[in-house]
């Protein structure tokens, strides 16, 4: 234990004096709120943006008021089809039998204007139909033979927030857990070889397994701090920045699960990056070896984005990283823990960390690597 | 010669396809400077690496103060200090922190730690730059840090592997003086070099290696024999093979 403490203390001291690592943690804390501010501003701008509608013909009474009220600015044009290509977002020709519409779906503004127009026309048509029926003495309720009354089991606003968190939070946990300690991990492994301190270190009577464990522990702490700093700043930012009309907050249970997974992932990633760093001759090569890891590890978080209803059987929880993403997603969405899934996830991540630690230990003292150094 | 502190017996080692050591034997005693000489690629560094347990021998054995390198590597490492030409130090730690780290890993007790580190800083005249970060030190100062960390646990056996090859004249002289001082303190000093002139001035006994084999061994004066210097003796020995 003493060796472990000595190595841990020394590594922490070195890491905290390393600008690269401090910069990584600082960026981790700053980047997420910055992204959220940008998303918030873009979404606000999109929601309040006014789109231009070029038209010919006579606008039905009342429709112009509805359109102007939903941010569709009416502008008379000579040819709506030509105008819709560049000049305006939508082109409409009002005729007695109906409306001809021209728009370019490849233009985002045109697609958004069309969506708004469809909503407005839906309301206008429903109101007109209801008025016509009423004029003939028929109950307008006839138009909705099966009226639906919704009873959401949880707040839709909160659900939207949780859905956002269930993707974003595992993504940050993984990227920051990996990148936050990457520089320190490579420095503690490939850096020893590059600085030519490895031989001197291995010449001490201290058990090599403990030396490596001390390094893993120190880098894991940095990884953990980076991940939690990023998530903490994200949650803080979400509490202050209005985003897509959602209410985003993390329940105590989900927070506890997240911290537990962050610890496991930090240990796992550190063992893995130290193993790769041990194979490298210098810092640059260590970075090159570790770069593909980013793409490999981010893949599971992407699954949740592309398949939101992905509900795998228990065997999937044996796959490292994917299991952490799934457990965290479930904790956020349902505010509950599936204990068998969490147990398997914990066992899988601990086993992965141990395998990597053992591999790093073998590589750390391999004769051929010592000679190359 | 005093009883052997380091005893190498029929040592063999192959690295990749290269048969680096072909059954070499040698003995180095306490209170002497023992020269391990030979050209580049003769097997000097490999021999030292096996003695200090960084590499394992393919055949043969090595004993350091009675401890076998195979069966008691940690005991061997506790009793050995190695200084190499590669003066790798931790750049973000100060000279003192570098030395303290190695002292702690070498098992120097907490109560002894500060006294030992202070003593070695004074002995090597390092006090003026002890608290300076290693990244800002000169090559000579870094070499002193490397020596200090190798001796801070007061090992019985000191090995110097081409220690002066990256240093200027003044720093080289300090290293040579330090080796002599260590010998006078009763340490077993093994000095590996291809600079035969240095070895002739410092070593009490020498072993000359060539292509992984011992070509001569004995007191320096005996190995030199009637030749003008060790270099001439070495050239004749090599050409005779």
């Amino acid at each position: 234990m003493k060796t472990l403490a000595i190595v841990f203390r020394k590594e922490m001291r070195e890491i905290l004096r390393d600008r690269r690592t401090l910069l990584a943690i600082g960026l981790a804390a700053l980047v997420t709120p910055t992204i959220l501010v940008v998303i918030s501003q873009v979404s606000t701008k999109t929601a309040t943006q006014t789109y231009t509608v070029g038209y010919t013909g006579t606008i039905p009474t009342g429709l112009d008021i509805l359109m102007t009220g939903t941010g569709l600015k009416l502008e008379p044009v000579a040819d709506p089809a030509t105008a819709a290509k560049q000049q305006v977002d939508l082109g409409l020709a009002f005729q007695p039998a109906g409306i001809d519409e021209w728009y370019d779906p490849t233009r985002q503004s045109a697609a958004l204007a069309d969506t708004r127009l469809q909503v407005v026309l839906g309301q206008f048509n429903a109101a007109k139909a209801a008025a016509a029926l009423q004029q003939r003495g028929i109950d307008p309720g006839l138009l909705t033979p099966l009226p639906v009354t919704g009873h959401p089991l949880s707040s839709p606003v909160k659900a939207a927030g949780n859905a956002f968190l269930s993707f974003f939070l595992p993504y940050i946990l993984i990227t920051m857990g990996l990148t936050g300690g990457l520089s320190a991990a490579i420095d503690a492994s490939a850096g020893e070889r590059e600085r030519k301190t490895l031989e001197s270190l291995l010449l001490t009577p201290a058990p090599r397994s403990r030396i490596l464990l001390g390094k893993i522990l120190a880098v894991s702490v940095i990884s953990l701090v980076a991940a939690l700093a990023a998530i903490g700043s994200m949650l803080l930012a979400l509490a202050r920045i209005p985003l897509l009309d959602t209410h985003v907050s993390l329940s105590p249970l989900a927070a506890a699960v997240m911290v537990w997974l962050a610890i496991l992932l930090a240990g796992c990633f550190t063992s893995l990056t130290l193993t790769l760093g041990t194979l490298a001759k210098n810092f640059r090569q260590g970075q090159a070896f570790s770069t593909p890891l980013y793409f490999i590890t981010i893949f599971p978080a992407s699954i949740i984005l592309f398949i939101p209803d992905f509900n795998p059987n228990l065997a999937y929880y044996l796959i490292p990283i994917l299991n952490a993403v799934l457990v965290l997603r479930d904790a956020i969405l349902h505010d509950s823990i599936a204990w068998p899934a969490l147990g398997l996830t914990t066992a899988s991540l601990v086993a992965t960390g141990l395998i990597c630690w053992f591999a790093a230990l073998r590589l750390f003292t391999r004769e051929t690597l010592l000679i190359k150094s | 010669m005093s009883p052997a502190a380091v005893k190498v017996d029929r040592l063999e080692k192959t690295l990749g396809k290269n048969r680096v050591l072909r059954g070499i034997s040698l003995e180095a005693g306490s209170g002497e400077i023992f020269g391990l000489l030979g050209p580049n690629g003769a097997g000097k560094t490999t021999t030292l690496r096996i003695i200090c347990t960084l590499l394992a021998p393919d055949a043969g054995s090595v004993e350091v103060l009675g401890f076998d390198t195979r069966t008691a590597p940690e005991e061997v490492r506790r009793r050995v200090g190695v200084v190499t030409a590669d003066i790798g130090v931790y750049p973000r730690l100060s000279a003192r922190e570098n030395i303290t780290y190695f002292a702690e890993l070498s098992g120097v007790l907490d109560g002894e730690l500060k006294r030992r580190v202070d003593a070695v800083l004074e002995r090597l005249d390092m006090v003026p730059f002890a608290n300076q970060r290693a990244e800002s030190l000169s090559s000579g100062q870094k070499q002193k840090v490397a020596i200090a960390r190798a001796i801070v646990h007061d090992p019985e056996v000191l090995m110097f592997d081409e220690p002066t090859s990256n240093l200027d004249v003044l720093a080289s002289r300090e290293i040579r003086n330090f080796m002599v001082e260590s010998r006078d303190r009763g340490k077993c000093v093994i000095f590996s070099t291809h600079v035969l002139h240095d070895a002739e001035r410092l070593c009490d006994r020498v072993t000359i290696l060539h292509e992984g084999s011992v070509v001569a061994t004995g007191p320096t004066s005996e190995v030199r024999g009637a030749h003008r210097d060790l270099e001439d003796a070495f050239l004749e020995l090599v050409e005779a093979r």
Side-chain angles (χ1 to χ4, degrees), chain A residues 87-117:
Chain A
Q87 191 185 341
V88 295
D89 297 308
L90 288 180
L92 299 179
F94 291 100
Q95 289 163 1
I99 305 171
D100 284 323
E101 182 194 1
W102 291 270
Y103 76 102
D104 180 1
T106 58
R107 282 168 59 201
Q108 199 189 11
S109 60
L112 289 168
D114 174 59
T115 307
R116 278 192 202 172
L117 178 71

Side-chain angles (χ1 to χ4, degrees), chain B residues 87 129 132 134-144 167:
Chain B
I87 40 181
F129 59 90
Q132 218 172 302
E135 61 196 349
S136 65
L137 301 179
S138 68
S139 296
Q141 288 171 327
K142 281 182 187 167
Q143 182 63 290
K144 282 189 174 180
L167 300 180

Side-chain angles (χ1 to χ4, degrees), chain A residues 61-273:
Chain A
T61 313
L63 183 59
D64 54 341
I65 298 165
L66 271 175
M67 287 178 76
T68 311
T70 48
L72 294 172
K73 185 185 163 197
L74 288 159
E75 195 176 293
V77 291
D79 178 8
T82 310
K85 285 179 187 168
Q86 286 287 331
Q87 191 185 341
V88 295
D89 297 308
L90 288 180
L92 299 179
F94 291 100
Q95 289 163 1
I99 305 171
D100 284 323
E101 182 194 1
W102 291 270
Y103 76 102
D104 180 1
T106 58
R107 282 168 59 201
Q108 199 189 11
S109 60
L112 289 168
D114 174 59
T115 307
R116 278 192 202 172
L117 178 71
Q118 298 310 321
V119 173
V120 168
L121 288 176
Q123 291 169 348
F124 181 79
N125 287 339
K128 280 283 177 193
L133 287 175
Q134 215 159 15
Q135 217 170 22
R136 288 171 175 79
I138 303 166
D139 180 12
L142 195 71
L143 289 170
T144 48
L146 281 176
V148 177
T149 309
H151 302 282
L153 294 173
S154 62
S155 155
V157 172
K158 191 164 188 276
N162 283 353
F164 172 78
L165 266 191
S166 69
F167 163 71
F168 218 59
L169 213 136
Y171 181 84
I172 291 177
L173 193 65
I174 287 169
T175 48
M176 292 308 165
L178 179 68
T179 55
L182 190 64
S183 168
I186 297 171
D187 194 57
S189 48
E192 291 276 6
R193 206 180 299 283
E194 188 174 17
R195 286 188 300 261
K196 300 186 187 298
T197 45
L198 183 61
E199 271 202 31
S200 305
L201 185 62
L202 297 180
L203 275 169
T204 65
R208 290 160 183 187
S209 57
R210 307 243 177 93
I211 291 176
L212 200 59
L213 215 52
K215 285 174 177 283
I216 288 174
L217 200 63
V219 179
S220 296
V221 167
I222 296 300
S223 261
L224 191 63
V225 168
L228 295 182
I231 288 168
S233 64
M234 182 189 94
L235 293 175
L236 206 67
L238 282 172
R240 292 176 177 274
I241 302 166
L243 187 71
L244 305 170
D245 293 330
T246 57
H247 168 74
V248 181
S249 66
L250 198 62
S251 72
L253 182 80
V257 170
M258 183 197 72
V259 171
W260 175 239
L261 291 172
I263 292 168
L264 292 173
L265 284 171
C268 202
F269 284 146
T270 303
S271 304
L272 193 59
T273 45

Side-chain angles (χ1 to χ4, degrees), chain A residues 2-3 6-7 9-11 13-15 17-20 187 192 195-208 211 215 365 367 370-371 373, chain B residues 13 15 49 52-57 74-75 77-78 80 82 84 86-94 97 101-102 104-110 133 149:
Chain A
K2 200 181 172 204
T3 300
I6 293 166
V7 176
R9 208 169 50 228
K10 174 261 174 187
E11 292 295 338
R13 185 176 282 161
E14 271 215 296
I15 290 168
R17 288 177 186 175
D18 180 15
R19 282 186 196 154
R20 287 173 300 198
D187 194 57
E192 291 276 6
R195 286 188 300 261
K196 300 186 187 298
T197 45
L198 183 61
E199 271 202 31
S200 305
L201 185 62
L202 297 180
L203 275 169
T204 65
R208 290 160 183 187
I211 291 176
K215 285 174 177 283
T365 53
E367 282 192 355
L370 274 174
I371 291 156
S373 76
Chain B
K13 183 71 182 175
L15 296 172
R49 281 176 161 173
C52 66
T53 76
L54 276 178
L55 300 179
E74 288 180 9
E75 292 302 324
R77 290 202 285 271
R78 221 177 282 281
V80 169
V82 182
T84 66
D86 294 328
I87 40 181
V89 291
Y90 295 109
R92 293 189 292 276
L93 299 187
S94 69
E97 286 166 343
Y101 180 53
F102 282 93
E104 287 177 308
L105 287 179
S106 299
V108 174
L109 299 172
D110 287 346
R133 280 203 195 178
R149 76 175 172 212

